[in-house]
RNA sequence: GGGGGCGUGGCGAAGCAGGUUAUCGCGCCGGCCUGUCAAGCCGGAGAUCGCGGGUUCAAGUCCCGUCGCUCCCGCCA
């Protein structure tokens, strides 16, 4: 196997080195004293006259290369180096490679727009995002997405373990089902369609189809002109829908189990990333302790904590609630349920005249989840549609889900970027999106 | 939709009771150095101070507009 060099390359005296299979930097300690070949990006160069030290970076880590003479390539160039792995107390990490042969695979230009080998805390968010292609090379920045990838993995793994089927639904929708605001319209041949703000109706359709339990990991689009550290106009939604539930309490139970799996997995597999950000996930046992309170009770607590009467749960109130939960229950999270009917969509299952079987999950001061039981009974849905002054015509497809029998069900959605942001204590949710889209930014 | 703050070399900042060649750190280029650890030392390049207008003998600095960024509120994942 010669995965990195053309087969027709002319034979040279260095072909011995080139015949070496690439070794990942993280595996070098198993090759002590042996000849290896490594590939990666030049992270840092220190020249000391007749000897140079080059820090090489690959997907698995960093290693010091020791070179004779100068390094004739700039930082961020892609190289392949062959040499002998040796132990040296003077080397960072105790290991280094004494290089016999180097191949410059791709020379980097000199005008790096943002530093890759420095602490990104010293960069402005704007610089990070404007030069996203380059800033992602920064190991600390890239570590966000290593961790995020595992959030996705543990989420999906958990859902499957409970018998959920993964679905992918269309992001192009023909009608403004959830009300006119907040939808992006796009040209669709001779007509106009919209980008889905949630897979809500399709999830429910799959409940009635007989799958009973479904989840979807997909993008959601919100055409809202908000500019805050917690909003994106395109985000990844971890959507869940489950049949045969009794109330939103069943859904909170499910979310607790999901969060436990995610937190446990991250604590095991992403210790390094958490350490880089000086962050930690809540203890697994504590997730069971997340307090649950009604919307009314939440307002009371916020009023007491904030020292003044509140009627709405605003962002400051969400922070106060989580502070309270940390103090009283040891975990910065809280479930709020029984939201008023007027604060929830028409499809939310009513508990009584005033409130609904719906809930939010707040984590570290931020709403990461909204969900609830949905109306599954045809006549109740008709009443609700009338109550919200919606038209049957625009909801005809949706109504069909319930006309021929749909079991009691409900679901929720976790914002992937928000969860990532809060786990790592990132100042802005945009840092947790690879290529964030906000009101003006649609590039890179 | 409402409100606040900020735009100064590639990056991060100082300068802003108006005044002569706009300063510092990192990075970059050149030189010295065989054990560096954000290497060190010497030298150098690089900025029409976001843009437009106004006030003034004089504007990075004051005023108005504009564009951009960022934060708070509303709404939301």
């Amino acid at each position: 196997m010669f995965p990195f060099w053309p087969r027709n390359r002319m034979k040279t005296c260095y072909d011995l080195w080139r015949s070496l299979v690439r070794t990942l930097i993280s595996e070098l300690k198993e090759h002590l004293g042996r000849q290896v070949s490594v590939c990666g990006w030049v992270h840092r160069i220190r020249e000391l006259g007749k000897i140079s030290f080059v820090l090489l970076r690959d997907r698995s880590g960093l290693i010091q290369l020791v070179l004779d003479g100068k390094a004739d390539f700039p930082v961020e160039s892609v190289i392949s180096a062959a040499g002998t792995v040796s132990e040296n107390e003077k080397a960072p990490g105790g290991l280094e490679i004494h290089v016999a042969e180097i191949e410059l695979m791709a020379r980097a230009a000199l005008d790096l727009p943002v530093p890759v080998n420095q602490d990104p805390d010293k960069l402005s968010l704007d610089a990070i995002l404007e030069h996203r292609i380059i800033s992602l090379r920064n190991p600390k920045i890239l570590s966000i997405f290593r961790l995020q990838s595992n959030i996705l993995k543990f989420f999906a793994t958990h859902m499957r373990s409970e018998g959920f089927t993964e679905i992918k639904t269309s992001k192009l929708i023909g009608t403004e089902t959830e009300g006119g605001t907040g939808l992006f319209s796009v040209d669709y041949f001779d007509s106009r369609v919209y980008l889905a703000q949630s897979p809500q109706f399709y999830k429910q359709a799959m409940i009635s189809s007989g799958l009973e339990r479904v989840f979807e990991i997909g993008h959601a689009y919100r055409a809202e002109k908000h500019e805050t550290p917690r909003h994106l106009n395109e985000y990844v939604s971890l959507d869940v829908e489950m049949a045969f539930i009794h109330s939103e309490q069943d859904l909170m139970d499910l979310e607790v189990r999901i969060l436990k799996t995610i937190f446990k997995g991250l604590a095991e597999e992403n210790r390094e990333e958490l350490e880089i950000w000086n962050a930690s996930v809540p203890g697994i046992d504590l997730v069971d302790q997340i307090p649950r309170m009604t919307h009314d009770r939440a307002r009371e607590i916020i009023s007491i904590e904030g020292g003044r009467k509140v009627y709405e749960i605003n962002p400051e109130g969400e922070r106060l609630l989580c502070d309270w939960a940390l103090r009283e229950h040891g975990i910065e999270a809280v479930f709020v349920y029984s939201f008023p009917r007027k604060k929830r969509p028409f499809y939310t299952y009513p508990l009584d005249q005033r409130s609904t079987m719906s809930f939010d999950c707040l984590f570290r001061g931020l709403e990461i989840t909204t969900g609830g039981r949905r109306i599954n009974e045809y006549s109740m849905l008709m009443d609700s549609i009338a109550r919200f002054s919606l038209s049957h015509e625009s909801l005809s497809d949706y109504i069909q889900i319930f006309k021929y029998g749909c079991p009691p069900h409900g679901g929720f959605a976790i914002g992937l970027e928000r969860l990532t942001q809060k786990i790592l204590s990132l100042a802005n949710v945009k840092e947790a999106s690879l290529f964030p889209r906000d009101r003006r930014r649609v590039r890179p």
Side-chain angles (χ1 to χ4, degrees), chain A residues 158 162 164 213 242 250-262 287-288:
Chain A
H158 184 89
E162 292 207 24
F164 284 75
R213 298 179 166 204
M242 176 165 68
D250 300 318
L251 298 168
M252 290 185 261
D253 292 345
L254 173 61
E255 181 161 10
V256 163
R257 295 194 298 274
I258 293 171
L259 290 176
K260 283 169 79 170
T261 299
I262 292 175
V287 179
D288 286 316

Side-chain angles (χ1 to χ4, degrees), chain A residues 12 26 216 299 322 373 388 417 423:
Chain A
T12 73
S26 61
E216 173 164 6
R299 282 168 40 215
C322 288
R373 182 175 168 186
F388 279 78
E417 294 87 350
I423 287 172

Side-chain angles (χ1 to χ4, degrees), chain A residues 1 7 10 18 25-26 30 43-44 46 48 81 104 126 156 164 186 197 207 238 261 302-303 316 319 350 387 406:
Chain A
M1 283 280 287
R7 278 183 213 148
M10 279 179 58
R18 295 202 162 118
I25 286 170
S26 61
E30 295 152 31
H43 191 67
R44 195 184 294 282
R46 286 187 278 265
L48 286 81
L104 181 56
D126 188 41
F164 284 75
V186 292
Q197 63 172 192
I207 291 292
L238 307 179
T261 299
I302 294 168
S303 297
E316 189 198 352
R319 289 189 284 271
R387 186 188 174 114
C406 183

Side-chain angles (χ1 to χ4, degrees), chain A residues 200-411:
Chain A
Q200 176 67 31
F201 294 172
Y202 294 118
K203 283 193 301 181
Q204 293 187 260
M206 296 315 292
I207 291 292
S208 86
S209 79
L211 282 180
E212 295 189 19
R213 298 179 166 204
V214 295
F215 74 102
E216 173 164 6
I217 298 171
H219 280 107
Y221 298 87
R222 303 279 164 98
E224 285 150 11
K225 293 179 176 176
H226 35 43
E227 295 185 77
T228 79
R230 59 187 182 281
H231 285 99
L232 292 162
N233 289 302
E234 178 186 55
Y235 69 94
V236 175
S237 184
L238 307 179
D239 264 279
V240 171
E241 202 76 18
M242 176 165 68
F244 302 110
I245 61 166
H246 295 291
S247 74
E248 76 275 25
Q249 300 296 326
D250 300 318
L251 298 168
M252 290 185 261
D253 292 345
L254 173 61
E255 181 161 10
V256 163
R257 295 194 298 274
I258 293 171
L259 290 176
K260 283 169 79 170
T261 299
I262 292 175
F263 291 157
K264 181 168 183 283
L266 296 181
E268 285 168 5
E269 292 189 18
N270 294 89
R271 202 167 307 170
E272 200 177 323
E273 287 75 17
L274 290 166
E275 210 167 280
I276 290 172
W277 286 94
N278 194 24
S280 63
V281 290
I284 307 310
D285 297 340
L286 287 169
V287 179
D288 286 316
Q289 308 300 315
I290 296 176
R292 299 180 188 187
M293 62 186 75
T294 62
H295 189 262
D296 288 343
R297 174 69 182 140
R299 282 168 40 215
E300 277 176 29
I301 292 173
I302 294 168
S303 297
I304 294 165
E305 294 292 304
R308 64 191 162 86
K309 183 88 175 159
V310 297
Y311 300 94
E312 304 284 332
I313 300 179
N314 60 19
E316 189 198 352
E318 293 176 346
R319 289 189 284 271
L320 287 171
L321 270 184
C322 288
D323 290 346
W324 171 88
L326 179 63
R327 202 178 68 228
E328 300 291 326
H329 298 269
I331 181 163
E332 302 163 83
V334 53
F335 284 106
V336 179
Y337 64 94
S338 285
F339 275 77
R341 285 190 85 167
K342 58 174 180 275
K343 284 184 156 294
R344 292 281 145 146
F346 74 92
Y347 51 73
T348 312
Y349 200 96
L351 182 64
D352 50 41
Q353 277 302 307
R354 219 182 120 247
S355 56
T356 58
M357 288 192 177
S358 62
F359 76 100
D360 275 5
C361 178
L362 311 180
F363 177 51
R364 292 181 177 166
L366 182 64
E367 178 184 333
I368 59 163
T369 297
T370 289
R373 182 175 168 186
R374 330 293 188 188
I375 296 174
N376 66 295
E377 206 269 314
Y378 187 75
S379 59
M380 185 190 279
L381 183 65
M382 289 301 125
D383 289 348
S384 189
I385 287 172
R387 186 188 174 114
F388 279 78
S389 306
L390 299 169
S391 81
H392 285 57
E393 290 72 42
S394 65
L395 291 168
S396 60
D397 289 335
Y398 183 64
I399 289 168
Q400 200 169 24
I401 296 173
F402 309 97
K403 191 171 176 184
Y404 305 100
C406 183
H409 67 283

Side-chain angles (χ1 to χ4, degrees), chain A residues 69 134 155 173 179-180 195 385 426 428:
Chain A
I134 304 305
F155 171 72
I173 55 173
L195 294 180
I385 287 172
L426 306 176
N428 194 306

